[in-house]
Amino acid sequence: MLCFQGISVDYGTGGDTVHALADASLCVERGTVLALIGASGTGKSTLLRVGAGLLRPAAGTVTSNGAPIDARSMRIGFLPQNYGLLAWKTVRENILLGVQIKGEWRAERRSAFTELAADLGLTDLLERYPHELSGGQQQRVGLARVFLLAPDLLLMDEPFSALDTITRESMQEVFLSLWKKHAVTTVLVTHYVEEALTLAGRIAVMGGRPGHVIELIDNPFAGDPAYRFSPEFFAMGQELRAKIAGGGV
Ligand code: ADP
Ligand code: MG
């Protein structure tokens, strides 16, 4: 179980201080997906950066089974909003970047690499550069990189937001099939209600200024894109939209 407990974050100092988060708390069960959803500016990206260890909170803790987490005790895969691809490196080099930084490119990873590239439809694109790829293909490279790391925790910031609707929905399905194979504990930021309902077993609605978690919801529709067409899914989407618009104020 991974828990964010009483997280507060301020940006800047003095009169320019922005209180981004105040007392944000939530827990993620191991081997599940949790979605952070909420209006723009409610601190979703900030909370994810705290989880990734990129930002130290003014107050609060992030723990795994009660022990504080850090990059040494836990392998964290972070997929930023722009996929974090390097323009001057090929697809192959971009995928390998994560494990190479960790100094772990060994023979046993080779078969994992080949399998991931095949699963993500990248086998014929390995020698291309990012600018020679569509948005959906770039996104697949980002996914291949983080899944090759075999992280204990996967953090994704609006991973599919830059894609058109059709590509986004097909990438959600690609993610689900990868995720079912690897079952990595995942926190995913999204501002699409349908994306949260399709991917995440638990949904944290963020709101307020400063931001915090205003509600945690169990979602029965996660893992099966076929629910997208059911009236119950639609109704729950409407309910979520209302909570987000309410924003805890
Ligand atoms: P979200 O991802 O939900 O849109 P963010 O976490 O990006 O929200 O931002 C939360 C609040 O913190 C916003 O008011 C935003 O303007 C502010 N903020 C985010 N990053 C910075 C920064 N580097 N410096 C100052 N303020 C920031
Ligand atoms: Mg954000």
Side-chain angles (χ1 to χ4, degrees), residues 167-213:
T167 313
R168 185 166 65 242
E169 293 190 350
S170 85
M171 282 308 302
Q172 290 167 4
E173 287 162 32
V174 168
F175 170 78
L176 275 180
S177 69
L178 263 186
W179 190 84
K180 282 175 181 161
K181 233 166 157 173
H182 301 265
V184 45
T185 309
T186 301
V187 179
L188 148 109
V189 172
T190 180
H191 63 253
Y192 290 102
V193 162
E194 289 78 11
E195 186 161 293
L197 289 174
T198 303
L199 301 182
R202 212 159 151 73
I203 299 172
V205 182
M206 298 198 54
R209 294 216 179 227
H212 56 279
V213 176

Side-chain angles (χ1 to χ4, degrees), residues 3 5 8 15-16 55 66 71 80 89 93 103 128 152 161-162 174 177-178 185 187 220 237:
C3 289
Q5 202 56 254
S8 297
D16 299 328
L55 199 61
K89 289 195 179 283
E93 291 165 339
R128 289 205 196 174
D152 304 309
S161 290
V174 168
S177 69
L178 263 186
T185 309
V187 179

Side-chain angles (χ1 to χ4, degrees), residues 191-194 234 236-247:
H191 63 253
Y192 290 102
V193 162
E194 289 78 11
F234 180 79
M236 187 147 167
Q238 293 299 90
E239 222 173 279
L240 261 178
R241 253 183 273 280
K243 290 184 201 297
I244 293 166

